[in-house]
Structures are given as C-alpha cells and as structure tokens.
Amino acid sequence: MSSTELPRALATAAAPKPGAVAVAEGERLDSVGLPGLTLSVRSRPSAGAGLERALFVHGLGGSSQNWSALMPLLEDVVDCEAIDLPGFGDSPPPDDGDYSVTGHARAVIRYLDAREHGPVHLFGNSLGGAVTTRVAAVRPDLVRTLTLVSPALPELRVQRTAVPTGLLAVPGIAGLFTRLTKEWTPEQRVRGVMALCYGDPGKVSPEGFRAAVREMERRLELPYMWDAMARSARGIVNAYTLGGQHGLWRQAERVLAPTLLVYGGRDQLVSYRMARKAAAAFRDSRLLTLPEAGHVAMMEYPSTVATAFRELLTDVRELSARQGARAAVAGSGS
C-alpha cells in the first residue's frame, strides 16, 4: 500500500469507539443513519411544545459540544440540535471520503431533508459558517434564519496565525505534524488549541479544560482523526479558490434568510476586518462585533450571542406578523 493510500485506508477502517462522548445535563446524543453517512446529533429538547427548530454546525476540529454553552440559553425559544460533521465528534467518516465544504453541506442537507426539519434557524462557526452559507444559498427552503460565528469565508490576506491551520491542507503535512507532535500530551494540545481559538484562554474553567482534555484523548485514539482534519482543511482552501457562482462570497450574496454575523476582535483564524465585507455581502444582515472575543464567541460569550439571536428572532417574527396583517387587509378588500 502506498503512502498516499494509507490515510484513505485508515479513514474508512472500522474502528471501535475509544470512549464515551461527553453529554451535558439535559442533552441527548443520537446516531442518525443516512445514505452514505452516519451523523451523531446532540439535542436539547425545548422548554415548550411546537417551537421552531435550530440546527448548529461546528468548525474545523470541533464538534457538537461547541454549542453546549449556547443551547441552554435558547431552549425556551427554539428546539436545539447540533450535529457532528462526518469524521468529527462522534460521527464516523463519510463512505465517499468527501470532506469538502460541499460534501459537509450535503450532509447537513441530507439530515434536514431526512428528518423533514426545515426550515430551521441555522447556526455555523468557522468551517461550519462556510458550510451553512452554502446550504442557505442552494437550499433557501431549509433556512429560516442564519447565524454565522466567525465564518470561514475567503480572505485575500490571511492572518499569519491562521497559516499553520491552512498548511494542514498540504498533502503530507498532517503526517509530518503527527510525527513532530507525538510527544505532546493531551493537555499541551488543548492549551495550544485554546490559545488559538479563545480571546482569553484564562477564562476557561478548570472543569471546562478537563472536559476538553478528555475529548482530546478520545479523539487521538481515532485512526481517522488527522485524515478528517487534513481533508476538511483542504476543502476550505479549495472553496476559497472557487470563482463564479460557486464562490462562497457569491453564494453569500444569494442568501435570502435574515442573517446574524458575529465576529471577534481577537480572532486569530478569521480576521476581524472581514466583518464589514460580510455585512455588505449578506443582503439582510446585522452585525455583532465582540472586541474581546476570539474564534468561538458562542463558547466565550454565549449570553451575548443568545441575546443577539433573540433580537433577530423577535424582529423576524414581528416582520412576519406585519406582512400577514397586510395580506389579510388586502384580501378582505378584494
């Protein structure tokens, strides 16, 4: 077997799960089988019956756990579900090995279609932001509102701190990185990730840090971890180079759903300066900037993000009510 075939073999190999995935109080974790893939879905039942659904999509190297701080703050207004993208969290690799942005978007669409959950309030962070932008552009019927936290949309001048992550897309780099870091402890790896993703890693609680270490230990035992990371990173880079109607910025302009954009001033992966460009691209958007936040504002400032979404939800519902009233008046006049 050649060196280029080995990662694919590891990615498709059936491997026992090394340990249980953490589930917070009030959450439930289910496995949903779909054609060509199986998705792990973390849900938090709403506090009331008949609420609209919300679906949360994590970023590169993340999982549905990235939304566990935000979901409880919204359970009285939406019915919350967060998926693990194929190859991440507790979801196994996709059968076709497609980790492109389009491949991940297809997984989200297949899930929503299979469960007949659309239209939903769709949330995305980082890679998940690119994925959900594509979903909203190509399947507007599935999206009621769109909330993007530091979305991975193309930048002309990438920040230096984001370069190592982008290098994962280069063939062979993931294997090299694995060899160079084989002596790193899970604690060291988690500190590195938090230093990159948080505006202030010191705000992470001791229990939060321990939970992240346990999840890192679990992920490191999966034979496909680095393959999923490298291929998904390559998918982002490839999406950045697409032009025409398939370009992510062109697709952002096609999004019809009311959109909430969240950017952090200390984000080392998605530049804060892209906030204004995004606000201009999404036709019906509002912008929340958090100067002290990093790349994962929904984990660092969940209450602030929840408040902004609630305001979006209120505005959307009030607009819908006004439009309904005008339609009723017009109908009675005829």
Side-chain angles (χ1 to χ4, degrees):
M1 180 177 292
S2 71
S3 59
T4 57
E5 291 173 331
L6 183 58
R8 184 175 292 111
L10 291 176
T12 56
K17 293 182 179 178
V21 175
V23 181
E25 184 178 354
E27 292 182 347
R28 174 178 171 176
L29 202 63
D30 295 300
S31 182
V32 178
L34 299 168
L37 70 157
T38 300
L39 295 179
S40 180
V41 181
R42 183 180 303 266
S43 60
R44 190 171 192 97
S46 58
L51 293 181
E52 296 168 348
R53 294 185 182 275
L55 184 68
F56 302 81
V57 184
H58 64 81
L60 182 68
S63 75
S64 58
Q65 293 184 63
N66 293 166
W67 302 99
S68 288
L70 180 62
M71 290 197 295
L73 305 179
L74 299 176
E75 63 183 359
D76 61 321
V77 291
V78 289
D79 199 349
C80 298
E81 291 183 332
I83 66 169
D84 288 328
L85 290 172
F88 294 92
D90 206 32
S91 292
D95 289 354
D96 61 5
D98 187 355
Y99 288 103
S100 67
V101 170
T102 297
H104 285 312
R106 190 178 298 119
V108 173
I109 290 170
R110 284 179 181 172
Y111 174 73
L112 291 174
D113 278 342
R115 300 295 282 262
E116 297 182 348
H117 281 179
V120 299
H121 298 283
L122 193 57
F123 289 70
N125 168 236
S126 192
L127 165 63
V131 169
T132 52
T133 294
R134 184 151 290 173
V135 172
V138 302
R139 288 292 304 274
D141 59 303
L142 294 178
V143 184
R144 197 179 300 273
T145 67
L146 182 63
T147 297
L148 303 175
V149 181
S150 296
L153 300 175
E155 300 182 35
L156 292 177
R157 290 182 296 135
V158 178
Q159 297 183 100
R160 291 181 180 178
T161 47
V163 170
T165 302
L167 285 176
L168 281 175
V170 179
I173 290 295
L176 175 62
F177 182 78
T178 302
R179 293 192 296 272
L180 292 176
T181 63
K182 64 180 180 180
E183 302 300 325
W184 290 13
T185 66
E187 289 82 2
Q188 288 174 314
R189 294 177 187 272
V190 168
R191 288 192 183 95
V193 170
M194 288 184 171
L196 185 63
C197 292
Y198 281 75
D200 180 5
K203 290 186 177 180
V204 179
S205 69
E207 175 52 35
F209 179 78
R210 289 192 293 269
V213 170
R214 289 193 295 270
E215 174 61 13
M216 178 63 73
E217 291 172 338
R218 190 192 72 83
R219 289 286 298 167
L220 287 170
E221 294 182 19
L222 297 174
Y224 54 80
M225 172 185 167
W226 288 113
D227 187 63
M229 284 284 290
R231 288 171 181 257
S232 292
R234 197 171 305 144
I236 296 174
V237 172
N238 289 341
Y240 275 27
T241 63
L242 283 177
Q245 63 179 347
H246 300 296
L248 283 169
W249 283 115
R250 181 69 63 84
Q251 291 192 320
E253 294 170 353
R254 291 167 49 192
V255 172
L256 301 176
T259 302
L260 170 63
L261 301 165
V262 184
Y263 281 81
R266 294 185 175 180
D267 195 332
Q268 299 182 65
L269 294 170
V270 171
S271 176
Y272 191 60
R273 67 176 179 267
M274 300 305 294
R276 185 169 297 180
K277 179 178 175 66
F282 290 89
R283 66 180 70 187
D284 184 4
S285 67
R286 59 182 63 195
L287 177 63
L288 171 64
T289 57
L290 300 172
E292 302 302 314
H295 192 59
V296 287
M298 73 286 187
M299 301 171 72
E300 299 176 84
Y301 297 93
S303 296
T304 306
V305 175
T307 297
F309 172 74
R310 285 173 175 274
E311 291 172 353
L312 171 67
L313 193 58
T314 297
D315 289 349
V316 168
R317 289 174 175 173
E318 288 179 352
L319 177 60
S320 178
R322 289 197 299 270
Q323 291 173 337
R326 285 197 295 268
V329 170
S332 62
S334 61

